[in-house]
């Protein structure tokens, strides 16, 4: 019985030790985002960073890694100059949030995006997002990313 308890305790300790820290999850999600959206390699990024089960909450993209990379391969064909700037990355346990400025090209004002990812066992397994157009002017004179847009 003592050996059984010791084995269970060891397995529990190893599984806790194997859990990624919030900082490691943040690095994983940033690396995924850079590869998928700035290097325009969504298939490679999905195969490296997305888990076997991938739950998608964006209403325009189906569940699963293949749906993700097929959607964005088509997007990048239509928008070859697309680029994303990551302004903030926040992590809380298995959740990582990115505050982004996504532009289709250099003339585009772009979109302010908050992407939220859930990471499990070193893989991205779930995604949520909130997307808003970047306006030409704001009522408060502030940009959507920090700082003033007054000239």
């Amino acid at each position: 019985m003592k050996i059984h308890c010791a084995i269970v305790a060891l397995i529990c300790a190893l599984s806790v030790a194997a859990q990624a820290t919030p900082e490691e999850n943040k690095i994983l999600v940033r690396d995924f985002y850079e590869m998928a959206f700035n290097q325009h390699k969504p298939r490679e990024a999905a195969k490296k960073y997305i888990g076997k089960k991938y739950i998608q909450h964006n209403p325009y993209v189906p569940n699963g890694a293949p749906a993700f990379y097929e959607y964005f391969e088509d997007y990048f064909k239509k928008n070859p100059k697309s680029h994303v700037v990551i302004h903030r990355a926040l992590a809380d346990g298995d959740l990582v949030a990115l505050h982004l400025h996504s532009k289709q090209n250099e003339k585009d004002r772009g979109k302010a995006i908050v992407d939220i990812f859930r990471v499990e066992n070193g893989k991205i397994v779930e995604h949520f997002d909130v997307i808003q157009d970047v306006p030409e002017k704001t009522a408060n004179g502030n940009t959507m990313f920090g700082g003033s847009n007054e000239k």
Side-chain angles (χ1 to χ4, degrees):
M1 182 68 174
K2 288 182 182 179
I3 293 174
H4 177 70
C5 290
I7 291 171
V8 170
L10 179 62
I11 290 170
C12 289
L14 290 174
S15 68
V16 169
Q19 294 291 351
T21 67
E23 189 63 30
E24 290 168 327
N25 288 339
K26 193 165 41 169
I27 291 166
L28 179 135
V29 169
R30 286 179 87 115
D31 289 349
F32 162 76
Y33 223 89
E34 182 63 34
M35 182 182 286
F37 295 102
N38 284 333
Q39 296 174 20
H40 295 190
K41 297 178 180 175
R43 183 180 302 257
E44 187 177 330
K47 289 180 186 239
K48 184 172 183 179
Y49 296 106
I50 291 179
K52 289 182 175 144
K53 182 177 181 185
Y54 179 63
I55 303 165
Q56 177 63 260
H57 296 279
N58 179 309
Y60 304 106
V61 184
N63 289 328
F68 165 81
Y69 60 73
E70 288 167 4
Y71 179 90
F72 283 103
E73 285 173 341
D74 185 54
Y75 176 84
F76 294 133
K77 285 177 188 169
K78 296 174 185 170
N79 300 284
K81 302 247 182 196
S82 172
H83 182 75
V84 177
V85 174
I86 300 173
H87 287 276
R88 289 168 188 80
L90 310 166
D92 182 14
D94 63 351
L95 297 174
V96 176
L98 299 180
H99 180 210
L100 310 157
H101 187 187
S102 178
K103 295 174 73 174
Q104 292 179 340
N105 56 56
E106 52 280 334
K107 293 180 182 178
D108 181 26
R109 273 198 302 276
K111 300 199 181 292
I113 301 173
V114 174
D115 271 321
I116 303 169
F117 299 92
R118 186 167 61 85
V119 179
E120 188 176 273
N121 298 319
K123 297 289 185 181
I124 296 169
V125 297
E126 192 166 13
H127 170 255
F128 307 82
D129 59 18
V130 180
I131 303 171
Q132 184 177 3
D133 290 331
V134 174
E136 186 174 342
K137 290 177 71 174
T138 62
N140 53 34
N142 300 320
T143 73
M144 296 179 79
F145 309 101
S148 172
N149 64 7
E150 295 180 351
K151 295 184 181 174

